[in-house]
Amino acid sequence: MFNKTDVIETIDMIEKEHLDIRTVTMGISLLPCIRESAEKTAQAVYERVVKQAEGLVPTAEQLSREYGIPIVNKRVSVTPVSLITAAFPEKSPLVARALDRAAATLGIDFLGGYSALVHKATAEYEKRFLSTIPEALATTEKLCSSVNVGSSRSGINMDAVKRVGELVKETAALTPGGLGCAKFVAFCNAVEDNPFMAGAFHGVGEADCVINVGVSGPGVVQHALSFAPDADLTEAAELIKRTAFKITRAGQLVAKEAARRLGVPFGVVDLSLAPTPARGDSVAHILEELGLEAVGGHGTTAALAMLNDAVKKGGVMASSRVGGLSGAFIPVSEDIGMIEAAERGAITFDKLEAMTCVCSVGLDMIAIPGDTPASTIAAILADEAAIGMVNGKTTAVRVIPAPGKKVGDTVNFGGLLGRAPVMPVHTGSAEKFISRGGILPAPIHSFKN
Amino acid sequence: MRAVVTVTGTDRKGIIAQVSAFLCEKNINILDISQTILGDQFAMIMMVDASECTEDLASVSAAAAEMGRDIGMSVRIQHEDIFNAMHTV
């Protein structure tokens, strides 16, 4: 009738190993909200988001109780706002605040999509939109913002990269402790169906309204590996695949059911291992379980490559549609293993960069000295975007130049955002390189037609 | 609709009686029971049929958790689909 072992395994995963659905994210197109003025557009945006997503929080809570699995975040992603406010870009913060009000009305955790896609060029309206991002982040609570600065097909828009460096500094100055930077990410090869923040937005190629689900469960993978201390890496990869399959099946179930009850199409399951600052919910500890003394040491990149691949292979089999970022996240402040390794100096900025070559995203939630120049932040992004462009993967930068903080200090973001020791960055200037601007050409292997 | 009830905690008298009374009151039929004691730890898994229960599963689940707290046990009721999804291809 039922398999006792399976029942106990599921309950242990949820109660002892932090298995959860990290997010149910509703993607909503804002294209029908464009009006002749910013004020009317903001009102239309508020009304549409509240109407489309009114059932999101109650439905997610109901599913959570029925299946006995926590659904940690309920979120909304919207069409990149730069497209909605193209006729009056300076007034985009009105839409930002309308979205934030909608988020408060709905009781959701975050709303993403205060975004611009400028990977090939920055149009005039986009330049003016980009300038509003610091104000938008400083005057809202739940709004997240992102910019796509490059792609494998188009190359890297280095003028946009330079501008993002400045925007990060401005945002840090305008928000207490630089917290606004935790809600801002710059991408290369941004995906249109990502349910995770800060980079979620609803692409223009998407349906009018969809449900995307992000799963989690690094603790479950670590726990499974702890029973196979002597397994070789082939066997370990198999074990991770099997575990990722189970985790993703839970996500698929919730995604399909949420979509059905809300009467909107199911989009994708994002097969990510997303850590939290809680002990037992760490991607870093999985890598250490595989045999590394400390994450950040030699061998870390190889271990992460294996983990990331095994998560994808196990997850793809478990879901009818996968998408988003799908892989292992390595945010520093949101992972207790990363935090402790950074505090001990075991993991460095350069090793994190190497790890982003093989994980699913990029340099994430890293506190850097408050006096880091904008050109250095832009150069960090240029490096990261180059990795993404050449390797045909998504990469991203979310760094926090914490005002007044220096190496050795710690920045506390609170909640799921965690805490981060300020990490040193290279001090050699990239000013001249960054000020050149232009387009960094796409690699020859991107011409696939 | 079928659901899985799990009850865990320190063993004492009357656990099955109280859980069964709760299910009966909610018009939920027990289909199968497996129960064991490990040391002083009580563990029980039940398969139940909740199709005649008039409340939705989410509220029954919340009530079960509260009843569990009253008797010092962890009591969960979960839709069977979560187990089927995770453990069958």
Side-chain angles (χ1 to χ4, degrees), chain A residues 192-205:
Chain A
E192 298 200 324
D193 52 11
N194 163 26
F196 285 102
M197 296 298 168
F201 64 87
H202 184 71
V204 290

Side-chain angles (χ1 to χ4, degrees), chain A residues 358-413:
Chain A
V358 299
C359 79
S360 67
V361 204
L363 294 169
D364 197 14
M365 288 304 288
I366 304 173
I368 58 175
D371 61 0
T372 307
S375 59
T376 300
I377 295 170
I380 290 169
L381 174 58
D383 283 344
E384 200 55 29
I387 291 170
M389 177 180 74
V390 172
N391 293 301
K393 71 183 286 292
T394 304
T395 48
V397 172
R398 179 163 56 151
V399 294
I400 301 96
K405 300 278 186 179
K406 51 189 190 308
V407 174
D409 294 342
T410 292
V411 186
N412 254 307
F413 302 111

Side-chain angles (χ1 to χ4, degrees), chain A residues 217-283:
Chain A
V220 180
V221 174
Q222 188 198 347
H223 183 79
L225 286 172
S226 72
F227 286 101
D230 301 317
D232 72 18
L233 292 171
T234 315
E235 291 162 354
E238 277 301 309
L239 193 54
I240 294 168
K241 273 161 63 179
R242 281 207 300 275
T243 310
F245 175 86
K246 291 175 187 171
I247 294 169
T248 308
R249 289 282 282 191
Q252 166 84 6
L253 174 68
V254 168
K256 292 285 274 192
E257 194 57 25
R260 190 184 68 76
R261 292 186 192 186
L262 289 163
V264 298
F266 156 59
V268 299
V269 175
D270 186 320
L271 325 165
S272 285
L273 288 186
T276 70
R279 202 160 285 284
D281 205 15
S282 159
V283 168

Side-chain angles (χ1 to χ4, degrees), chain A residues 1-11 13-15 19 61-63 65-69 245-247 249-250 253-254 257 261 317, chain B residues 2 4 6 8 31-36 45-47 56-59 61-62 74 76-79 81-89:
Chain A
M1 195 120 200
F2 55 80
N3 184 322
K4 276 191 287 182
T5 318
D6 291 348
V7 170
I8 290 164
E9 185 182 24
T10 293
I11 287 172
M13 282 180 176
I14 294 166
E15 295 189 357
L19 173 63
E61 286 174 352
Q62 178 105 0
L63 286 172
R65 285 195 294 269
E66 279 181 27
Y67 293 129
I69 185 167
F245 175 86
K246 291 175 187 171
I247 294 169
R249 289 282 282 191
L253 174 68
V254 168
E257 194 57 25
R261 292 186 192 186
M317 175 78 180
Chain B
R2 297 196 311 182
V4 175
T6 48
T8 50
L31 304 175
D32 195 359
I33 301 182
S34 165
Q35 186 253 306
T36 157
I45 304 171
M46 290 172 162
M47 178 64 87
D56 65 42
L57 190 62
S59 52
S61 170
S74 292
R76 313 159 200 82
I77 300 186
Q78 292 161 274
H79 197 295
D81 281 356
I82 186 79
F83 304 100
N84 293 337
M86 289 179 71
H87 300 283
T88 55
V89 178

Side-chain angles (χ1 to χ4, degrees), chain A residues 325-346:
Chain A
L325 300 166
S326 286
F329 291 172
I330 52 166
V332 174
S333 76
E334 298 173 353
D335 184 317
I336 188 68
M338 289 283 186
I339 294 169
E340 289 173 353
E343 283 170 344
R344 293 196 309 272

